[in-house]
Amino acid sequence: MLNRATLICCITALILQRIPGDDCAEIIGGEEVLNHSKPFMALLEGNGICGGALIYPKWVITAAHCIDASKTVRLGVHNRFAKDEKWEIRKVVKKVPHQCFDNITGMNDIMLLKLNKEVKPSKTISFLQMPKSSTDVKAGSTCNVAGWGITNNIKKTGSDVLRAVNVTVIDRMKCNSLDYYNFEPIITKDMLCAGTGSSKNSKRVDACKGDSGGPLLCNGEFRAITSFSHQCGLLKKPGIYTLLSKKYIEWIKKVTKSYQ
C-alpha cells in the first residue's frame, strides 16, 4: 500500500500538463568520442535503443521511459554495429522505474536495471560514480552528454558510434517562461534544463531520440539523466534532464540494497 508521501507525488504527477508525444531526448551538434573514453556508458536495446550508465556491478541507471528498450544491456561499446570481443552483454532481470514516474509529465523519469550477472571493470568498462553532492547545478554551467541517438530531427536511425556534446544549463525560471516551455511541462527542482547557450551565434546542441537515459556530467561529475525535449536542438526548447537530487540518490541506495 502506498504511503501518504508516495500517493501525493503520484497524484501531483497525474494532474500536470501532458508532454507532446513526439518529444525526443543522436546527439545534436556533437562529435564522435575517442574509442572507449566513456567506459561507463551502457547501450540499452529492445523496442528501440536508449543510453544508460553502469553504476554498480549488477546495476545500470537510465530513464524510466526507456522501459521497453531495456531488454538487454551492452557494455564496452563504441560502434554498436562493429561487434567486439571486449563487449559485455547482459540480460535485464529486474526493471525498477521510480514509483512516481509519469510518462505524460516526464516527472521522476529515472529507472534502475538489475543485470543477470555481475560486470567486472576492465580497460573498456568501468563504473560511473554517483555524485558526492546533491546540490543544484548552477545556470550557465557547461555539462557533457553522450549517446547513440539521432543527430538531427530528420533522421530516423541513431548514430553508429558514441557521440557527445557540451550543453549549457539554463535557469529553471527562464526555461518555464512563456518564450520557452511555458509550464508545458513544468520544469521542477528535480529537473535540469540544458541546451544551446544564450548567444545568438551559439551552435545548436542537444541530446535527441535514442540518447534518453544517458548520463549528464558536469565538471566531470554525474549529475543528471537525459529525459526529454521538444524535437531536438531548438534554441528555446532545450533538453530536460532528471537531476540526481537528494531524493533520487536516497531512492537509488534503497532500491539497490533491497534487491541484493
Side-chain angles (χ1 to χ4, degrees):
M1 186 175 182
L2 296 178
N3 59 38
R4 181 179 176 84
T6 299
L7 183 60
I8 290 173
C9 78
C10 291
I11 292 173
T12 300
L14 288 172
I15 64 176
L16 292 175
Q17 297 295 320
R18 185 184 188 281
I19 296 173
D22 62 347
D23 292 346
C24 57
E26 200 141 298
I27 295 291
I28 305 296
E31 296 179 350
E32 179 181 351
V33 305
L34 293 176
N35 203 358
H36 302 304
S37 60
K38 293 182 178 290
F40 48 79
M41 287 294 297
L43 175 61
L44 279 51
E45 296 176 307
N47 184 10
I49 65 169
C50 273
L54 182 68
I55 56 173
Y56 300 124
K58 272 194 172 184
W59 291 95
V60 165
I61 192 168
T62 186
H65 77 264
C66 289
I67 192 163
D68 291 335
S70 303
K71 293 183 179 180
T72 61
V73 172
R74 280 197 277 164
L75 301 152
V77 178
H78 179 68
N79 186 327
R80 62 193 179 102
F81 295 119
K83 191 172 183 179
D84 192 326
E85 61 181 11
K86 295 177 182 178
W87 288 358
E88 292 286 346
I89 302 174
R90 297 290 186 272
K91 292 181 180 179
V92 175
V93 294
K94 187 70 178 179
K95 303 176 185 181
V96 190
H98 192 277
Q99 66 272 18
C100 281
F101 166 60
D102 188 272
N103 195 41
I104 294 175
T105 66
M107 292 181 66
N108 304 301
D109 193 9
I110 182 172
M111 177 170 65
L112 288 166
L113 304 174
K114 188 175 183 181
L115 309 179
N116 66 321
K117 183 181 177 182
E118 286 192 358
V119 178
K120 294 181 179 180
S122 65
K123 292 182 179 180
T124 58
I125 300 171
S126 68
F127 306 119
L128 181 59
Q129 298 297 316
M130 295 300 295
K132 296 178 181 178
S133 171
S134 59
T135 57
D136 200 5
V137 181
K138 293 182 179 180
S141 298
T142 298
C143 303
N144 186 266
V145 62
W148 291 270
I150 62 173
T151 52
N152 59 54
N153 287 304
I154 299 174
K155 286 189 175 182
K156 295 182 179 181
T157 58
S159 173
D160 292 1
V161 297
L162 182 63
R163 300 171 69 89
V165 71
N166 288 334
V167 291
T168 302
V169 176
I170 299 166
D171 180 78
R172 286 186 191 83
M173 186 176 293
K174 184 176 184 179
C175 209
N176 276 317
S177 70
L178 182 64
D179 286 342
Y180 280 70
Y181 279 102
N182 192 28
F183 296 105
E184 294 183 8
I186 296 172
I187 312 304
T188 73
K189 63 181 179 61
D190 293 313
M191 298 175 179
L192 272 185
C193 191
T196 303
S198 57
S199 171
K200 292 181 179 180
N201 296 321
S202 295
K203 182 180 179 181
R204 299 296 174 91
V205 294
D206 201 359
C208 201
K209 187 175 182 181
D211 294 322
S212 295
L216 181 76
L217 275 62
C218 305
N219 295 319
E221 188 177 32
F222 184 21
R223 298 310 311 274
I225 297 166
T226 306
S227 184
F228 66 90
S229 65
H230 181 73
Q231 296 188 12
C232 309
L234 301 185
L235 184 61
K236 295 188 177 181
K237 291 292 187 289
I240 307 301
Y241 299 79
T242 302
L243 177 67
L244 290 175
S245 57
K246 183 178 179 180
K247 78 169 187 177
Y248 292 133
I249 293 174
E250 291 177 349
W251 175 79
I252 291 164
K253 291 177 180 177
K254 182 179 179 181
V255 170
T256 54
K257 184 178 180 180
S258 64
Y259 285 101
Q260 289 298 333

